[in-house]
Amino acid sequence: MDSDDDMRSVQSSDDDFMDGGDSPFSVDDDDDSDIDLDDGIGFEAQDKDIYPAKKSYEVDFDVFGPEQIQAHQDRQVEEVSNILGQPTESTAILLRYAKWNKERLIESYMDRQDEVLEAVGLGSDANVPRKITKVKGFICDICCEDDADLDTFAMKCGHRFCVDCYKQYLSQKIKEEGEAARIKCPGDGCNRTVDSKSLDLLVGHDLHARYHELLTRTYVDDKDNLKWCPAPNCVYAIDCKVKARDLMRIVPTVLCKCGHPFCFGCTLADHQPAPCALVKKWLKKCEDDSETANWISANTKECPKCGSTIEKNGGCNHMTCRKCRHEFCWMCMGIWSEHGTSWYNCNRFEEKSGHDARDAQAKSRQSLERYLHYYNRYANHEQSAKLDKDIYLKTEKKMTQLQVTASMSWIEVQFLESASQALQQCRQTLKWTYAFAYYLARNNQTEIFEDNQKDLEMAVENLSEMFEKSVDQLAGLKVDMLDKTSYCNRRRVILLEHTANDLKAGNWEFNVTLT
Amino acid sequence: MSGKKRIVKELGEITSSPPDGMRVRLVDESDVHIWEIFMDGPEQSVYSGGTFRLVLTLPKDYPFKPPILAFQTKIYHPNVSNDDKGSMCLGMLRSDEWKPPNKILAVLNMARNLLVEPNPDDAVETGIAEQYKSNRKEFEKTAKDWTKKYANAKK
Ligand SMILES: [Zn+2]
Ligand SMILES: [Zn+2]
Ligand SMILES: [Zn+2]
Ligand SMILES: [Zn+2]
Ligand SMILES: [Zn+2]
């Protein structure tokens, strides 16, 4: 890939956001055709020596904090304000009304200024400051109060109500309906937008803060290229150019500054390599079938040899029965030694020979078995990821304690964290490979996919197993662990690149239609 | 709260001079938030001859939130949900279109007008709406049948 191209693409996506370039506002969305799937790199071009080049499964994106979002919003307002010759306050209203589509706003403003201004409630004389006043003989049309000293308010449109009613109206819109940019005058049939000066006059401090928060939110909500990070309490927004129609060919995975990796398409947690549509189908299926499926993902199983109950306590699938020392695979209950060499038949569901599928019962049983095969592995990786994390946290704590009490020489424990992170990430990927595989139609490609899956799974189990070693053993295994960690990461990249390339090329055949 | 005075005023006005073909009263004299309406099917409509019982519920934030209108009598109409709720929810009855100065009288008149002229483009029952648009005869027949069957129409 040509590095000049890379730089330009990164540069331009930056410009678009920071300097109000064209693309976030592009009038006819459908014109600026498909995203350039082969262009751009994931990182700043000048950091190229430090960061690896973008992988085929990665997409360009930026992360913005609240100040940047606000600053950008302000800059847009200022720019358009100069073009339209309107004060910033009115321009902000116009832009919000036009859902931040700058071109469309300017165009329609040039064509029919009065109409546009009237539509957003900025008709002639709109900027005359309004006051809270008492009006003789006034009856509030909302509460029917008619006290002589009733405080009242009206915007330019003249729809006058008592201040209490006005306040309650605004408070309900802001607090309960989460509206801000497009609150209309309470007057019957009146379309005038309540401007923020009127709002300042009427609402208290708490509502005021909420109002401005909502204004910022609408800015992000209104733009297709911006999405809030879904992590709880996270204040960042992601800027990504991938469009909804591209989601059949790409899984746009982004990483927020808060550390949360998620899909820009559907905002669910990282679900590579499965495209959004499959994820949606799979989750729906899991929900529908949860009762039948649950029993199989239970936390305990019986040793296939002696029958004693074994509880899974680490993420590793290599189980050893405490009683009879029998070693087996947690997932398929097969003998572990067989996994060691020919590794793992256990990631692939062997389609049973056709003859017993003849009667309907066997068929539905087989389809349930097939589903459970994939679901079991999907759920297993989810659970193992949690167990991996637990055991890592325990190990890290023990190590630190040992170092403090000086019974152990100080060693760098960073490698444990890297290993733990790799495990989390790889299991997340593995988990979704099973949902992906469930919907794959069987052909030559499936085998490459399954091989990659098998290799990643083996790498993950080998690394996960390390955490079951005692703490003083671990200290001496740093190099080994680092090796296994980078091997895991490499296997993940290989799997994701393969699936992503073929997804882009439309080479995967699924047994369902993606809609 | 501000609502009470307003509700009492509206109730007084409606009961003293009720709109055409309607009788309005409280379901329970001690609760001004639940109204009962008997609405005659308008002469020029397929519901003619029937009498429909409606319940209008005022939320505690009324008039900042719209009233809730429900047909207690089964009715074949694109804008009334064909379930045990019988709810009508369009136009000013929607919270994003409702404005606090809107009055219950206007709501009732809107409901009555919809009996004369259904709004198939904003339907809850899309099947009935489809039929209303493409096979008016069939629609009218069923609507009349239901009116006889459920709304006590004589013939
Ligand atoms: Zn107004
Ligand atoms: Zn009032
Ligand atoms: Zn975040
Ligand atoms: Zn997604
Ligand atoms: Zn196995």
Side-chain angles (χ1 to χ4, degrees):
Chain A
M1 193 184 284
D2 179 2
S3 69
D4 279 340
D5 270 338
D6 293 348
M7 280 184 80
R8 220 180 310 125
S9 108
V10 168
Q11 218 65 53
S12 77
S13 78
D14 246 25
D15 286 351
D16 283 348
F17 194 85
M18 298 318 292
D19 301 314
D22 287 346
S23 119
F25 299 99
S26 82
V27 180
D28 19 29
D29 219 21
D30 286 330
D31 259 356
D32 99 33
S33 71
D34 295 341
I35 47 150
D36 197 345
L37 291 168
D38 299 316
D39 206 8
I41 57 167
F43 306 93
E44 297 296 326
Q46 58 267 38
D47 290 341
K48 229 181 169 170
D49 299 336
I50 308 167
Y51 295 106
K54 197 181 95 177
K55 305 283 193 306
S56 61
Y57 56 86
E58 291 173 331
V59 291
D60 288 323
F61 63 92
D62 287 303
V63 185
F64 294 108
E67 302 80 23
Q68 285 166 296
I69 299 166
Q70 187 58 53
H72 185 245
Q73 202 170 329
D74 292 347
R75 211 162 333 163
Q76 305 265 311
V77 168
E78 210 175 293
E79 191 191 321
V80 177
S81 159
N82 288 332
I83 298 172
L84 302 186
Q86 283 281 344
T88 50
E89 188 61 44
S90 313
T91 309
I93 292 175
L94 285 162
L95 272 167
R96 285 180 199 120
Y97 183 81
K99 301 212 160 198
W100 294 93
N101 191 326
K102 190 173 67 170
E103 269 86 31
R104 194 168 56 199
L105 171 63
I106 294 170
E107 198 183 299
S108 47
Y109 186 87
M110 295 308 174
D111 284 357
R112 38 200 168 88
Q113 179 172 340
D114 292 346
E115 206 179 303
V116 170
L117 287 174
E118 205 49 55
V120 301
L122 290 170
S124 50
D125 253 6
N127 295 311
V128 178
R130 316 304 308 177
K131 287 197 292 267
I132 290 175
T133 50
K134 300 186 199 323
V135 176
K136 224 181 153 196
F138 174 79
I139 303 172
C140 175
D141 200 21
I142 295 177
C143 62
C144 303
E145 293 295 343
D146 54 3
D147 287 1
D149 62 345
L150 208 58
D151 278 330
T152 73
F153 181 80
M155 291 189 296
K156 170 68 189 143
C157 57
H159 297 110
R160 185 167 295 277
F161 302 99
C162 83
V163 164
D164 283 347
C165 283
Y166 228 118
K167 277 182 180 166
Q168 197 181 337
Y169 172 75
L170 294 174
S171 143
Q172 190 205 300
K173 290 283 168 201
I174 296 166
K175 264 200 205 140
E176 287 183 42
E177 295 173 30
E179 269 203 59
R182 291 177 270 268
I183 302 176
K184 288 173 179 172
C185 162
D188 187 14
C190 181
N191 280 325
R192 180 168 295 260
T193 306
V194 179
D195 58 291
S196 59
K197 272 187 196 136
S198 298
L199 206 116
D200 289 351
L201 205 59
L202 292 165
V203 305
H205 215 75
D206 58 326
L207 267 187
H208 200 259
R210 177 81 185 128
Y211 173 75
H212 282 280
E213 200 183 304
L214 285 167
L215 281 187
T216 307
R217 286 208 84 87
T218 46
Y219 176 71
V220 173
D221 293 341
D222 281 349
K223 289 175 145 252
D224 291 340
N225 62 309
L226 288 178
K227 265 178 195 154
W228 293 105
C229 167
N233 302 318
C234 180
V235 295
Y236 291 106
I238 311 285
D239 179 19
C240 178
K241 304 282 183 287
V242 174
K243 304 254 159 53
R245 63 171 174 276
D246 299 316
L247 295 177
M248 300 298 182
R249 293 190 298 134
I250 195 163
V251 188
T253 311
V254 298
L255 179 63
C256 180
K257 274 196 183 128
C258 75
H260 180 60
F262 69 98
C263 168
F264 188 81
C266 64
T267 69
L268 291 173
D270 173 15
H271 58 65
Q272 294 179 97
C276 298
L278 280 190
V279 168
K280 211 172 131 202
K281 271 195 197 325
W282 175 255
L283 292 176
K284 175 85 171 54
K285 176 149 188 71
C286 292
E287 205 174 284
D288 294 349
D289 293 355
S290 62
E291 267 173 50
T292 26
N294 273 345
W295 61 270
I296 217 153
S297 61
N299 240 327
T300 59
K301 274 182 188 171
E302 280 160 15
C303 168
K305 200 170 172 198
C306 75
S308 57
T309 304
I310 294 170
E311 199 175 318
K312 197 162 189 279
N313 54 14
C316 176
N317 286 319
H318 180 180
M319 306 304 294
T320 307
C321 173
R322 281 207 191 113
K323 210 168 154 201
C324 72
R325 310 305 300 167
H326 176 62
E327 294 177 55
F328 64 98
C329 164
W330 174 265
M331 281 210 266
C332 67
M333 306 299 279
I335 302 167
W336 187 259
S337 58
E338 285 173 8
H339 283 67
T341 49
S342 70
W343 243 71
Y344 246 40
N345 226 6
C346 131
N347 65 330
R348 172 194 300 178
F349 181 76
E350 305 288 352
E351 308 276 351
K352 283 214 183 99
S353 51
H355 73 265
D356 63 36
R358 232 173 277 133
D359 65 318
Q361 231 192 341
K363 221 176 202 165
S364 90
R365 202 183 316 124
Q366 205 201 326
S367 102
L368 178 64
E369 264 175 42
R370 182 175 181 276
Y371 165 66
L372 287 178
H373 169 91
Y374 291 104
Y375 178 77
N376 189 15
R377 281 149 188 79
Y378 166 88
N380 177 70
H381 281 296
E382 187 169 78
Q383 193 201 13
S384 294
K386 286 189 198 112
L387 297 170
D388 279 340
K389 183 131 200 174
D390 289 350
I391 207 164
Y392 156 69
L393 291 173
K394 267 185 226 149
T395 308
E396 202 213 11
K397 204 171 152 197
K398 259 190 261 167
M399 275 219 165
T400 319
Q401 272 168 1
L402 279 176
Q403 283 164 13
V404 171
T405 57
S407 63
M408 193 174 109
S409 60
W410 192 88
I411 61 146
E412 224 246 290
V413 290
Q414 175 64 34
F415 75 94
L416 287 177
E417 203 194 326
S418 316
S420 169
Q421 268 170 9
L423 281 178
Q424 293 299 310
Q425 205 178 27
C426 290
R427 287 214 192 267
Q428 180 75 8
T429 302
L430 274 172
K431 181 177 121 172
W432 285 107
T433 60
Y434 283 106
F436 187 78
Y438 177 75
Y439 291 111
L440 269 189
R442 186 154 279 286
N443 60 26
N444 292 343
Q445 262 183 307
T446 337
E447 285 191 17
I448 306 172
F449 173 74
E450 281 173 344
D451 285 345
N452 285 337
Q453 187 186 39
K454 188 166 70 183
D455 288 343
L456 177 58
E457 199 145 57
M458 179 161 63
V460 163
E461 295 306 339
N462 283 339
L463 181 59
S464 175
E465 209 168 26
M466 302 278 291
F467 276 99
E468 288 176 7
K469 298 262 192 308
S470 74
V471 168
D472 30 76
Q473 265 177 306
L474 265 184
L477 291 169
K478 179 175 167 178
V479 177
D480 193 12
M481 203 132 174
L482 282 171
D483 279 352
K484 289 195 159 83
T485 302
S486 67
Y487 183 67
C488 271
N489 289 332
R490 261 197 330 269
R491 292 311 319 179
R492 177 172 174 271
V493 168
I494 291 169
L495 185 144
L496 288 180
E497 287 207 302
H498 172 239
T499 47
N501 285 334
D502 281 342
L503 195 63
K504 256 173 225 175
N507 287 340
W508 291 111
E509 244 182 85
F510 297 106
N511 52 28
V512 283
T513 35
L514 298 192
T515 44
Chain B
M1 244 0 268
S2 55
K4 184 82 182 242
K5 186 166 183 176
R6 153 102 182 241
I7 294 171
V8 170
K9 190 169 178 231
E10 284 197 74
L11 183 64
E13 281 167 7
I14 285 188
T15 42
S16 65
S17 59
D20 263 5
M22 285 185 237
R23 291 162 301 287
V24 179
R25 66 176 187 203
L26 292 178
V27 169
D28 170 354
E29 283 302 326
S30 65
D31 185 358
V32 294
H33 286 88
I34 306 175
W35 299 21
E36 181 178 51
I37 297 106
F38 290 96
M39 187 181 288
D40 296 334
E43 284 305 328
Q44 65 277 47
S45 77
V46 288
Y47 309 103
S48 164
T51 300
F52 299 85
R53 180 176 178 263
L54 289 83
V55 167
L56 181 107
T57 309
L58 304 174
K60 72 174 188 347
D61 295 330
Y62 181 81
F64 295 95
K65 281 188 184 156
I68 299 153
L69 188 63
F71 276 75
Q72 304 290 303
T73 306
K74 219 169 149 64
I75 182 168
Y76 193 76
H77 193 289
N79 304 108
V80 180
S81 72
N82 183 19
D83 55 17
D84 53 354
K85 292 197 185 71
S87 50
M88 176 178 265
C89 183
L90 74 166
M92 65 169 77
L93 285 165
R94 272 199 198 120
S95 58
D96 53 343
E97 279 188 45
W98 174 260
K99 290 288 190 79
N102 291 155
K103 301 292 185 303
I104 293 168
L105 181 63
V107 169
L108 296 179
N109 282 330
M110 177 186 86
R112 193 162 195 274
N113 287 338
L114 279 166
L115 295 190
V116 179
E117 197 174 340
N119 179 353
D121 295 324
D122 197 358
V124 271
E125 294 298 333
T126 47
I128 301 179
E130 209 39 60
Q131 188 191 45
Y132 179 81
K133 284 199 266 192
S134 62
N135 191 348
R136 184 69 60 90
K137 258 212 171 103
E138 200 55 35
F139 164 81
E140 287 180 349
K141 186 180 177 300
T142 313
K144 279 178 184 162
D145 284 352
W146 283 34
T147 306
K148 259 181 244 167
K149 201 164 159 195
Y150 303 109
N152 289 320
K154 293 275 151 21
K155 45 183 172 81

